[in-house]
Amino acid sequence: MAIAPDQVARVLLLPVLVAQGVWLGVRAMRLPEPPGPRAGMVGKGPALRLLILGDSSAAGVGAMSQDTALSGQLTRVLAEHVHLDWHLEGETSATTKTSLAKLNRLPDQEFDIAILIHGVNDTTRFTPRKKFHARQSALIKALCDRHGIRHFVLSGVPPLRHFSLLPHPLRWVLGKHADRLDTVLADIARTDDGVTHLQLTLPYEPRFTAIDGFHPSEAAYAVWAGMLADLVLDQAGRRS
């Protein structure tokens, strides 16, 4: 397999990329995970048990509270159609590997469907395609075995090439790798009827970005929640 231009650049421009990464670490604003409930029961109708597992965006960083973060806006939409029993396990800096390692934190119960939100931190760590595929597949299998989950929505890796906080050429290199890992998620969905991939096509405008210039804003979480709700209801067969 031919080596992609960005992979070559990653080697040739290593000192520049490292310097930009250090500069970004110093400059970047660190927002906290918002307060609010991370589990609950809401709505009326057919029962649906939902697990949300992932990184800082799953945890709602960029919002003022969980109510206006992804989980709060998603559960509010779903509650219009189902009786929802939901649980959020999101953590800043989480990767697929760290989520695998903390499955013992999940409640001892079954879920109908899981939304998995990973990829940004796998991208910034330059996790290879094969390793990312293996870890995502292992995570899906573990959740099937431990919690009886048979339906999964893999939320796509955001296109980091649009993240204005990132300087070039770091933005270009990370953007290319993000696209590569998002293709992995799409490939998994193509080979498993129980898995759906959501290509994350949020509007990349200032109002859809949090004040740190990196995470989604509350407006972006609302758009994202609507996209996920449609897939969850279709995948779980709970649309009323």
Side-chain angles (χ1 to χ4, degrees):
M1 181 180 295
I3 300 176
D6 64 287
Q7 293 173 311
V8 175
R10 201 187 303 169
V11 177
L12 298 178
L13 298 174
L14 182 61
V16 174
L17 299 175
V18 170
Q20 288 185 332
V22 171
W23 172 84
L24 190 64
V26 173
R27 178 176 181 264
M29 180 185 298
R30 288 173 172 78
L31 298 178
E33 296 177 9
R38 296 196 175 204
M41 295 185 183
V42 291
K44 296 181 180 180
L48 179 65
R49 300 165 298 181
L50 173 68
L51 171 67
I52 306 167
L53 175 64
D55 58 20
S56 57
S57 293
V61 172
M64 294 297 293
S65 72
Q66 289 297 336
D67 186 57
T68 54
L70 183 65
S71 64
Q73 302 208 56
L74 174 61
T75 56
R76 195 154 49 247
V77 175
L78 291 175
E80 298 175 4
H81 303 270
V82 298
H83 173 66
L84 186 68
D85 180 358
W86 65 279
H87 179 86
L88 165 65
E89 191 67 44
E91 186 174 32
T92 298
S93 299
T95 63
T96 310
K97 181 180 180 180
T98 61
S99 286
L100 267 167
K102 68 177 184 183
L103 291 182
N104 59 354
R105 296 188 195 177
L106 297 179
D108 184 18
Q109 70 175 81
E110 291 191 345
F111 295 96
D112 299 301
I113 191 164
I115 297 173
L116 305 184
I117 303 172
H118 300 90
V120 170
N121 298 312
D122 291 276
T123 296
T124 59
R125 287 161 177 76
F126 291 111
T127 303
R129 276 178 56 101
K130 288 185 178 179
K131 189 167 288 186
F132 186 63
H133 191 291
R135 288 172 177 170
Q136 283 284 313
S137 298
L139 183 58
I140 289 169
K141 184 178 186 305
L143 291 169
C144 283
D145 293 344
R146 296 182 183 206
H147 299 281
I149 302 171
R150 292 295 177 265
H151 300 286
F152 293 84
V153 175
L154 306 183
S155 193
V157 185
L160 297 185
R161 64 184 179 276
H162 292 302
F163 283 29
S164 59
L165 178 69
L166 302 174
H168 284 298
L170 183 61
R171 189 196 305 185
W172 174 69
V173 171
L174 289 176
K176 287 291 187 181
H177 198 57
D179 292 346
R180 193 173 290 121
L181 296 190
D182 193 53
T183 300
V184 170
L185 299 181
D187 289 344
I188 293 172
R190 272 194 293 270
T191 58
D192 189 332
D193 291 340
V195 179
T196 300
H197 168 247
L198 171 63
Q199 185 175 14
L200 201 54
T201 54
L202 294 174
Y204 292 95
E205 304 169 13
R207 69 189 182 95
F208 291 109
T209 304
I211 59 173
D212 65 353
F214 192 81
H215 287 91
S217 67
E218 293 175 343
Y221 280 130
V223 176
W224 190 3
M227 297 163 67
L228 285 170
D230 285 341
L231 289 180
V232 166
L233 293 171
D234 288 342
Q235 185 78 339
R238 299 295 199 280
R239 192 172 299 271
S240 59

